[in-house]
Amino acid sequence: MKRPKLKKASKRVTCAKRFKIQKKVREHNRKLRKEAKKKGISRKPKKDIGVPNSAPFKEEVLREAEQRKQELETLKEQNKIAKQQERAAKRKKEKEAESAGEGPATKKAKKVAKAKEAKAALIKEKSAKTFKCCELNKVIEESDVILEVLDARDPLGCRCPQLEETVLKHEGKKKLLFILNKIDLVPKDNVEKWLRYLEAECPTFLFKASMQIQDRTVQQRKQRGINAVLDHSRAASCFGRDSLLQTLTDLANKKDAETMLKVGVVGFPNVGKSSIINSLKEVRVCHVGVQRGMTRCKQEVHITKRLKMIDSPGIVTASSNPGDVMALRSLQVEEKEESPLEAVRTLLKQCNQQHIMLQYNVPDYRNSLEFLTTFAKKRGFLQKGGVPNTELAAMTFLGDWTGPKLSYHSRAPEHQGLPSYLTDAIVTELRSDLDMDVVRKGNENVKKGVRFPNLASSISFNARGPTAGVLNVSELPKETITITAPTEADEKMEGTVNTEEVLPMRG
């Protein structure tokens, strides 16, 4: 009973209640002793008889026992002190964190800040895509001739119907030309089939860009030529430059003497747009590399007094494309929408297993994980304990497909059919003002000079068709960020918090 004017209730009880409790305890102990006696178990601990007087070396044994007892007490005291120090350090750390604004009271602010950072990252990513679309539209509007660069390993997958339709809507004011780049990575028969397929729709040039252009200025190139250190090997040489440059020069000469021919180079990322401009200029004026997205804005390069090339960023792909098309160019992997392991699994389904085994010199595998495990062991991609690093192996495999290293080819369609935005009249108009004999002769010279890989050493790949792109900013997808609901403990510490908050992306 709590008495008034006292902070705590009294622990005193009546004598009758106390005696009753004591009686219950005695009865309980008596019952336990009776049960233990029946079972033959003594509840009293056995007394230590100690060391008998007749035992030899009694004093040494007692001394050792006392010493061991003191050591145990010392160890127990040390453990107790260590625990006290650990608790004190933990309390000190919590106080410092709370004084620095990192205590429980600021968890809500940290969650909001994290959400704002994620939102800012999405806005930045979408802003980059919007900027690329705007820059690409500027290049199309400013150019008189549009060169759509196609990777010879998958020409149909590198075509963008939205881009071609936008160019052809200008009704003859702009010309569209195809450049079949990286032909040195595709068998000769496959290149010839694709050339016949593409020439039926648009004038096509075979091209192999030079990969060893290191001169930054024309003066450096001339000085290197004087010193006779130029590399004239097939790997370093450029093929298709003369034919393309002559065709563009003839188109520039047909214009007014005061106007300059502007040529826009467009295409998907990593097809070799900047490398083609460097090869035509014979100077490294555009930044190139194996990494995707090196060109972020348009860049104008003067090739001659009458000819100007405009480099453009890569076409932004639409999210409606099939998974294997996106995986072939590592688009979803770079945007962190898909893991590298999933992209590799999608690619392996489209390839001939025997070709993969011969190319990477791996034994027969049942699935993509087994292939990546074997590939990681072969390349030495091992983690701690000798565990194969399949993540690094997947990134290396995707880098081979998107870069200029791996030789693979897609088969050209057997049946030829014009797209809906192309007619026979438009095809004839695209070929006008062009000397097709010069184009065909140049392509034949390129095929004679380039060293093509064997069909057996090239991986066969199933082509899926043109890749849809995004040219209109309004077609970009809207992104959202969801903040997870806090726990009940957080709500008690922080007060009232919204259970879910969605931050919409603004274009």
Side-chain angles (χ1 to χ4, degrees):
M1 177 178 176
K2 185 175 181 181
R3 294 183 295 174
K5 296 183 181 180
L6 290 178
K7 293 183 179 179
K8 295 183 181 180
S10 176
K11 295 183 180 179
R12 291 188 297 178
V13 294
T14 60
C15 293
K17 189 174 182 180
R18 188 170 68 250
F19 294 153
K20 187 177 181 180
I21 293 173
Q22 292 175 359
K23 184 179 179 182
K24 289 284 185 182
V25 171
R26 284 196 302 270
E27 290 176 357
H28 176 70
N29 291 334
R30 191 183 300 113
K31 185 177 180 181
L32 291 178
R33 286 195 301 269
K34 191 175 181 181
E35 290 177 357
K37 190 175 181 180
K38 288 181 179 180
K39 294 180 181 179
I41 301 174
S42 177
R43 296 183 69 252
K44 293 184 179 180
K46 292 183 179 181
K47 186 177 179 181
D48 187 12
I49 60 174
V51 181
N53 293 330
S54 60
F57 309 103
K58 176 181 178 180
E59 296 180 357
E60 287 81 1
V61 172
L62 291 175
R63 194 181 304 113
E64 289 177 1
E66 186 68 20
Q67 186 178 0
R68 187 162 56 251
K69 183 179 179 180
Q70 291 179 357
E71 289 177 357
L72 291 175
E73 290 178 355
T74 305
L75 183 62
K76 186 177 180 180
E77 190 68 19
Q78 289 178 355
N79 292 337
K80 185 178 179 181
I81 295 173
K83 288 181 179 180
Q84 290 178 353
Q85 291 178 352
E86 186 178 354
R87 287 195 295 268
K90 187 177 181 180
R91 286 194 297 268
K92 184 179 179 181
K93 188 175 181 181
E94 289 177 355
K95 288 182 179 179
E96 290 177 355
E98 189 173 355
S99 62
E102 298 179 0
T106 60
K107 286 186 177 181
K108 180 181 177 182
K110 288 173 66 177
K111 286 186 178 181
V112 173
K114 189 175 181 181
K116 287 183 179 179
E117 290 178 1
K119 179 182 177 182
L122 283 175
I123 292 175
K124 185 178 180 181
E125 181 182 351
K126 186 173 181 181
S127 299
K129 291 183 179 180
T130 305
F131 182 73
K132 285 183 178 180
C133 292
C134 295
E135 290 290 291
L136 184 59
N137 289 325
K138 288 179 182 178
V139 172
I140 295 174
E141 292 296 329
E142 295 178 8
S143 303
D144 302 314
V145 179
I146 302 296
L147 298 181
E148 186 176 8
V149 184
L150 310 177
D151 193 332
R153 297 175 291 183
D154 185 21
L156 198 59
C158 294
R159 292 183 61 176
C160 179
Q162 292 79 8
L163 172 69
E164 297 175 8
E165 188 174 2
T166 303
V167 174
L168 296 177
K169 279 182 180 179
H170 290 81
E171 298 179 354
K173 296 181 181 179
K174 299 182 184 296
K175 284 193 173 296
L176 178 65
L177 304 177
F178 290 157
I179 296 184
L180 203 58
N181 194 25
K182 301 182 183 180
I183 59 173
D184 57 321
L185 300 176
V186 184
K188 186 175 181 180
D189 295 339
N190 195 258
V191 171
E192 292 176 347
K193 292 179 181 178
W194 276 113
L195 181 61
R196 288 194 297 268
Y197 179 84
L198 296 173
E199 276 183 338
E201 300 182 12
C202 184
T204 307
F205 296 85
L206 297 181
F207 204 91
K208 186 248 172 209
S210 177
M211 302 300 296
Q212 298 185 8
I213 297 178
Q214 302 295 334
D215 301 320
R216 297 287 182 179
T217 61
V218 178
Q219 186 178 0
Q220 290 181 0
R221 177 171 58 85
K222 290 181 179 179
Q223 187 65 31
R224 194 158 58 95
I226 294 173
N227 297 334
V229 292
L230 291 175
D231 188 1
H232 297 288
S233 63
R234 290 190 178 185
S237 301
C238 172
F239 295 93
R241 176 182 180 275
D242 298 336
S243 174
L244 179 60
L245 194 57
Q246 182 180 351
T247 302
L248 296 178
T249 304
D250 293 342
L251 290 175
N253 293 334
K254 292 179 181 180
K255 294 178 66 69
D256 299 335
E258 298 180 355
T259 58
M260 181 179 292
L261 182 68
K262 298 179 181 179
V263 181
V265 184
V266 299
F268 284 100
N270 235 16
V271 294
K273 302 183 294 295
S274 301
S275 299
I276 289 175
I277 297 178
N278 290 341
S279 300
L280 293 176
K281 185 69 175 177
E282 294 185 335
V283 175
R284 191 177 182 182
V285 290
C286 298
H287 193 41
V288 296
V290 178
Q291 185 180 0
R292 295 166 42 82
M294 302 295 288
T295 305
R296 299 183 180 179
C297 59
K298 70 170 187 173
Q299 180 180 357
E300 297 182 355
V301 179
H302 291 265
I303 306 298
T304 62
K305 294 181 179 180
R306 301 291 308 279
L307 180 60
K308 180 170 66 175
M309 307 286 288
I310 306 177
D311 193 9
S312 66
I315 302 173
V316 179
T317 54
S319 57
S320 59
N321 289 303
D324 54 348
V325 174
M326 304 291 281
L328 180 61
R329 295 166 181 83
S330 300
L331 299 174
Q332 291 179 317
V333 174
E334 291 190 355
E335 296 174 2
K336 297 182 180 180
E337 297 177 2
E338 186 182 24
S339 65
L341 302 178
E342 290 292 333
V344 171
R345 181 185 306 170
T346 306
L347 276 180
L348 290 177
K349 289 180 181 179
Q350 301 296 324
C351 302
N352 190 335
Q353 185 172 352
Q354 294 181 353
H355 291 171
I356 295 289
M357 292 164 55
L358 291 174
Q359 181 71 30
Y360 287 95
N361 195 16
V362 295
D364 190 11
Y365 56 90
R366 291 172 293 181
N367 49 39
S368 60
L369 184 60
E370 186 175 348
F371 165 76
L372 290 175
T373 304
T374 309
F375 181 55
K377 291 180 180 179
K378 191 171 185 62
R379 290 290 183 92
F381 300 152
L382 302 177
Q383 295 176 331
K384 188 176 180 180
V387 180
N389 191 346
T390 55
E391 188 85 12
L392 181 58
M395 293 301 296
T396 305
F397 181 79
L398 294 176
D400 293 346
W401 282 79
T402 56
K405 181 179 179 181
L406 187 63
S407 172
Y408 66 89
H409 65 277
S410 59
R411 292 180 287 272
E414 298 179 357
H415 304 287
Q416 183 76 38
L418 294 177
S420 58
Y421 52 85
L422 266 179
T423 60
D424 294 335
I426 295 178
V427 172
T428 305
E429 187 178 358
L430 291 175
R431 294 176 181 174
S432 62
D433 299 332
L434 294 178
D435 192 349
M436 297 305 297
D437 294 334
V438 173
V439 176
R440 295 189 184 96
K441 185 178 179 181
N443 290 336
E444 290 296 329
N445 293 334
V446 171
K447 287 189 288 185
K448 292 179 182 178
V450 175
R451 180 179 296 170
F452 296 96
N454 297 327
L455 185 62
S457 62
S458 181
I459 301 175
S460 177
F461 188 84
N462 298 327
R464 288 294 298 269
T467 304
V470 179
L471 297 181
N472 191 359
V473 178
S474 61
E475 297 178 1
L476 290 174
K478 296 182 179 180
E479 304 290 345
T480 58
I481 308 171
T482 303
I483 303 176
T484 56
T487 60
E488 295 180 1
D490 294 339
E491 290 183 355
K492 290 179 181 179
M493 290 187 294
E494 301 166 6
T496 306
V497 182
N498 294 333
T499 57
E500 188 177 23
E501 183 180 1
V502 178
L503 303 178
M505 267 281 303
R506 294 182 179 178

